[in-house]
Amino acid sequence: MFDFVTHLWIANVAISLPMVAFSLANLYWSTYAWHSPVTHEETTSSPARNDVHQHTFSVIVPLREEPIEVVGATIAKILAQTHPAVQPVCSVGYDDPDTLAVVRRLMDLYPGRITLAVSQSDVRNKPTQLNAALAACTGDVVGILDAESLSAPGLLSQIDATLQDPEIGVVQGGVMIVNHRASWVALRSSLEYYANHRSKMHFAAAHHFMLMGGNTVFFRRSLLDEVGGWDPEMLTEDAEIGVRLSVLGHDVRVAYQPHLVSREEAPTTIRSWVKQRTRWNLGFMQTIRKGVWRQLPTAGRRRFARWLLWQPSIMAISGVIIPLGVVVALFAPSPLWATMIAFLPAVPTVMLVVLDATMLYLFGREIGEKVRLIDYLLLVVTTPIYQLMSAYAAARAAVKYLLGDLRWEKTAHTGSHIEDIIDLTVYDRVAS
Amino acid sequence: MSLDLAQETFPALTEPRRVGARRSVRIPKRIDAVIVAFLAVAVGVVDASGLTRWPGFNGDEGIYTSQSWSVLHGSIEAYTYSYDHPFLGWAMMAPFEWLAETLGITGTGMAVLDARAVMVLLAVADAALLYGVACRLGFRRVVAAFTVLAWGWSPLTVSFARQVYLDNIALPFLLGALYLALDPARRQWFYVGAGAVFAVGVLSKETTLLYLPVLLYIVVQRTAGQVRVMAIASMATCSVAIIFLYPLFALLRGEFFPGSGHVSLWSEQIWAQLFSRAGSGSLWNVASSRFQLVDSWFHLDWWLPIAGLTGAVLMTAVARMRPIVVAVAISVAVVVKSSGYLPGMYIISVLPFLALCLGAVLNWLGGPAGAGKRRVTPRRVAAFTAVVALAVAMTPEYASGIRREATVNLVGPAEMADQYAISHIPHNANVLVDPIFYVDLIHHGFRHQWRGAIAYYQYDLDPESLTKLPGGWRDLDYLLVTPAMRDQISGKSVALPRTAAAIAHSRVVAVFGRGAQQVQVRKIIHSPSDTASVPKASS
């Protein structure tokens, strides 16, 4: 007795309230750092003293087809740490002769200071390289810095101070995207990293379950040995090792301080962004399927873990469903109350756009750069495109997952954030 | 009054708080629940006793009652929705109408009186929320309780709180928004909640929007830095987004922009409110309706307005009270300075703020709460004396006002006319009515809208009226004429020629009450023989 239009608007109403709930949940954890003066203080504070060093560090830099400018800058920053006991470990695949040559040049430049670990695995991905490098690490704390990320000089001293609390086994440091002027995609990415490191990660850590990032993370060596290193099957090995550590009861401390963040570059094109995002979505799906999270001790934590792992996909899908719902509400004849309910998801959507702009403002303040009007406009105007991209990446991940295509799609590093920081002529001097 | 003392009584606003740290605002205890229960009963009983007698009906009460009936039965209002107010207020009354119909208690008395009972429930909620707001402003329990009673027992409050007004529906949401915004832990999502609740208040009665600066001020005052930026952005966005669902609703119905053949939100609400509604004149002109309105407020109670305004002036010195002072200032500015139309029920949302200012003075007199070991200090004695003196001074005025409002019957004539119409007028007759009778006639088998019960205002002003009732008075059989209706016909603000013609072509068949209170049942003179019969009078 119901015709198609009736089915359509009933479905639309039925779906709109869950959409409101998901969107509000997303806003809620995105803004955790500003929930109250207490959470703001807790997410900003740090150990008072960081000049007493108790730990030795090995910092793994996984490399794959990297130009020398990129690697050189990263290594130089590691060697310039105020912490005295730092061992950079460059991890390179045996089948990547160009990068091997790059590292050898740097080893000549800094004699005796850089360790080279060559992965003999035929599987070309980051976890195999990390595991290969782990064997060469001598420090009692093992960290990871991505090939293109520039660490702040005081970072390791701060991590050392944080790890002097015996309760803490893992520290997730802050990462900030600094090529936000490169394109609107990079602007979006930098805002997302900011929300993630400034706020969401703290929220997750407070709930004892966290999907860590793969950059600027530090582990006690003993914990890595306990869990047996990284899972080479995983596309998001960084998040997955966090799951295993959570199951063993090791909490992660999130250390975010604007002056200690690692500076990194984000994808600047839609194509590379979609690749990166597909890999993340696919990695989370793998992690869900692997099922280690089911061993979490309480039902509440398992529920939280499930939500956290599904969250990116749900948000991506809702980014398309909400506008579709509004269109249906506009054009499918339906009772007034139904139309009004169908419009409710517009409220959190408007909030999302405004809070994104607010976070951009705060981000600009923290990096000491004034956000231009054009940046705000870009952010607002590109919202629909961005939501389509997210949905596309989620759908692409789902298709790849179903087809069993779990190859590693590497994000290219252009080094666009480096030029003004390091003097490139140094390499030519060494070469000559 | 020194600022130091003020800070000592009302501790600093912005320092972050940790769990377990000393709080400037008490955590609610069981004693607070007991006090709230007492206040709820105290306010509820005074409001309820006499709501079927005082005050006399205002036509708006009938309008909102009939509109909530309409919402329950499928449309925003019985006639063309004219965007005079957002509809959420009476839509929220519909569940109570449903409850009354389900329980089978409709038709026993006047539907407007049932709706007044809902208003009493809202006043009870107001009392609880006002106590909460007072406590979160740092009032001692005894002062907070005094504040609620000074508000709730004021004859001015009692009279207006009983009436079926949208302002009464909006008030708990306004107070609820303040309560949430005063969250001691300054949590962002409580601010968002405050914004959402505030938006519901605005969609109940649009004048609530005047208090938006108060809400913003509270949040600005209590937050700092990044937390403030995020709190303001999220609260304001949530609130504005919800409020904008209303213009969106108009847009969807194709009734936002003016056009031929339909009403529009723009011309009926935005344009009319801002520019074209007939003004109430100047407060300084004794003959103006504005002066008479303010005079009528003071006539019901002058204690609370005067004491509250005095308190507001003194409390400008206390940082924590300044948002409340701003609320009073906005209210006073509207009453004194605005040139537009000033409705009587405007006072409803002002009264709690006046009571808070009065209470704040007493709280300040008492000095810092819980400080020092000595329980009895000269300051506390002075404060206690002031409370007692004020209570003693206010009691006679309040007591006589409450007694009058509990006993004097201003509703009787309308009630008798209602009963008369139900039992004497044929149920297939077309009756032009004051909306206070509208739902009762429906409950007793009359048709409604353009046959049966017909509301007089829409009979004159609804665009559909001319096509539905082209014969004018000839299409009607009876009229139920209230004092409000007569006032409106003789008044200058809105012309109601069709209603006036119907009255002119009718004769009185029954009258109830005397003089200005008189309610008439009139019959249309269709043929010369109708004039022959002798008017039948009743007391």
Side-chain angles (χ1 to χ4, degrees), chain A residues 277-357:
Chain A
R277 198 52 52 106
T278 306
R279 178 166 68 79
W280 292 357
N281 285 329
L282 210 46
F284 289 174
M285 290 177 190
Q286 269 188 318
T287 309
I288 294 169
R289 186 178 61 178
K290 189 175 176 187
V292 176
W293 57 274
R294 289 180 204 279
Q295 297 164 24
L296 285 165
T298 65
R301 285 198 199 177
R302 287 192 290 274
R303 220 171 16 250
F304 181 77
R306 193 183 299 127
W307 175 73
L308 205 64
L309 286 161
W310 278 115
Q311 211 270 345
S313 306
I314 292 172
M315 280 317 295
I317 293 162
S318 74
V320 172
I321 285 185
I322 288 177
L324 271 183
V326 171
V327 171
V328 168
L330 267 177
F331 293 108
S334 61
L336 186 69
W337 62 267
T339 313
M340 298 308 281
I341 290 179
F343 266 106
L344 278 184
V347 174
T349 305
V350 171
M351 286 181 75
L352 177 73
V353 174
V354 174
L355 294 191
D356 269 351

Side-chain angles (χ1 to χ4, degrees), chain A residues 24 27-28 31 33-38 40-42 194 198 329-330 336 339-340 343-344 347 350-351 354-355 358-359 361-362 366, chain B residues 14-19 76 87 185-189 192 222 226-227 229-230 233-235 237-238 241-242 245-246 248-249 252-253:
Chain A
L24 285 179
L27 289 176
Y28 187 82
T31 55
W34 305 278
H35 274 190
S36 72
V38 175
H40 188 251
E41 197 185 79
E42 282 170 358
Y194 179 66
R198 181 72 191 83
L330 267 177
L336 186 69
T339 313
M340 298 308 281
F343 266 106
L344 278 184
V347 174
V350 171
M351 286 181 75
V354 174
L355 294 191
T358 310
M359 265 188 247
Y361 167 78
L362 297 176
E366 281 193 9
Chain B
T14 46
E15 83 270 21
R17 309 218 179 287
R18 294 188 163 279
V19 180
I76 295 173
F87 57 87
R186 299 123 203 265
R187 281 167 287 187
Q188 180 203 1
W189 286 82
V192 174
R222 297 166 59 82
Q226 291 198 344
V227 175
V229 174
M230 198 51 95
S234 49
M235 179 181 81
T237 312
C238 179
I242 294 174
L245 290 176
Y246 179 57
L248 184 69
F249 158 84
L252 277 179
R253 288 168 48 118

Side-chain angles (χ1 to χ4, degrees), chain A residues 27-85:
Chain A
L27 289 176
Y28 187 82
W29 81 311
S30 301
T31 55
Y32 176 76
W34 305 278
H35 274 190
S36 72
V38 175
T39 63
H40 188 251
E41 197 185 79
E42 282 170 358
T43 54
T44 317
S45 64
S46 58
R49 286 179 66 94
N50 59 12
D51 52 349
V52 181
H53 301 117
Q54 289 185 356
H55 296 285
T56 54
F57 282 84
S58 295
V59 179
I60 304 174
V61 185
L63 304 172
R64 167 73 57 187
E65 292 160 16
E66 312 289 352
I68 190 165
E69 297 84 358
V70 172
V71 189
T74 304
I75 295 294
K77 283 287 185 181
I78 295 173
L79 292 174
Q81 285 290 322
T82 56
H83 198 285

Side-chain angles (χ1 to χ4, degrees), chain B residues 17-84:
Chain B
R17 309 218 179 287
R18 294 188 163 279
V19 180
R22 194 187 70 83
R23 288 166 182 269
S24 64
V25 176
R26 303 183 313 271
I27 301 164
K29 291 186 182 147
R30 184 168 297 171
I31 179 77
D32 290 297
V34 172
I35 294 173
V36 165
F38 163 76
L39 292 172
V41 172
V43 169
V45 165
V46 169
D47 274 350
S49 39
L51 75 83
T52 58
R53 291 184 284 275
W54 179 293
F57 288 127
N58 180 301
D60 284 356
E61 293 186 81
I63 291 176
Y64 304 134
T65 306
S66 62
Q67 285 170 342
S68 76
W69 182 90
S70 294
V71 168
L72 184 64
H73 295 275
S75 63
I76 295 173
E77 68 175 66
Y79 298 90
T80 307
Y81 175 50
S82 68
Y83 294 92
D84 47 352

Side-chain angles (χ1 to χ4, degrees), chain B residues 332-419:
Chain B
V332 171
V334 169
V335 171
V336 176
K337 284 297 285 182
S338 80
S339 55
Y341 173 69
L342 181 67
M345 48 285 216
Y346 178 73
I347 193 70
I348 288 172
S349 60
V350 186
L351 293 167
F353 294 117
L354 291 171
L356 284 171
C357 287
L358 167 61
V361 175
L362 301 175
N363 199 57
W364 174 81
L365 278 175
K373 291 236 160 48
R374 274 176 68 201
R375 308 262 326 155
V376 181
T377 63
R379 230 179 126 163
R380 284 184 189 179
V381 171
F384 186 73
T385 314
V387 172
V388 172
L390 205 58
V392 167
M394 289 162 88
T395 299
E397 188 90 3
Y398 271 39
S400 70
I402 290 171
R403 194 181 311 115
R404 189 168 61 244
E405 290 169 353
T407 52
V408 175
N409 191 345
L410 299 178
V411 166
E415 233 175 350
M416 285 185 280
D418 192 57
Q419 286 305 314

Side-chain angles (χ1 to χ4, degrees), chain A residues 4 28 33 87 92 95 119 123 141 143 181 204 221 239 242 268 292 295 310 317 337 352 364-365 393 424 431:
Chain A
F4 172 70
Y28 187 82
Q87 175 206 20
V92 188
D95 51 356
S119 165
V123 182
V141 175
R181 287 275 162 86
R221 173 69 188 259
T268 52
V292 176
Q295 297 164 24
W310 278 115
I317 293 162
W337 62 267
L352 177 73
R365 293 285 294 261
L424 293 176

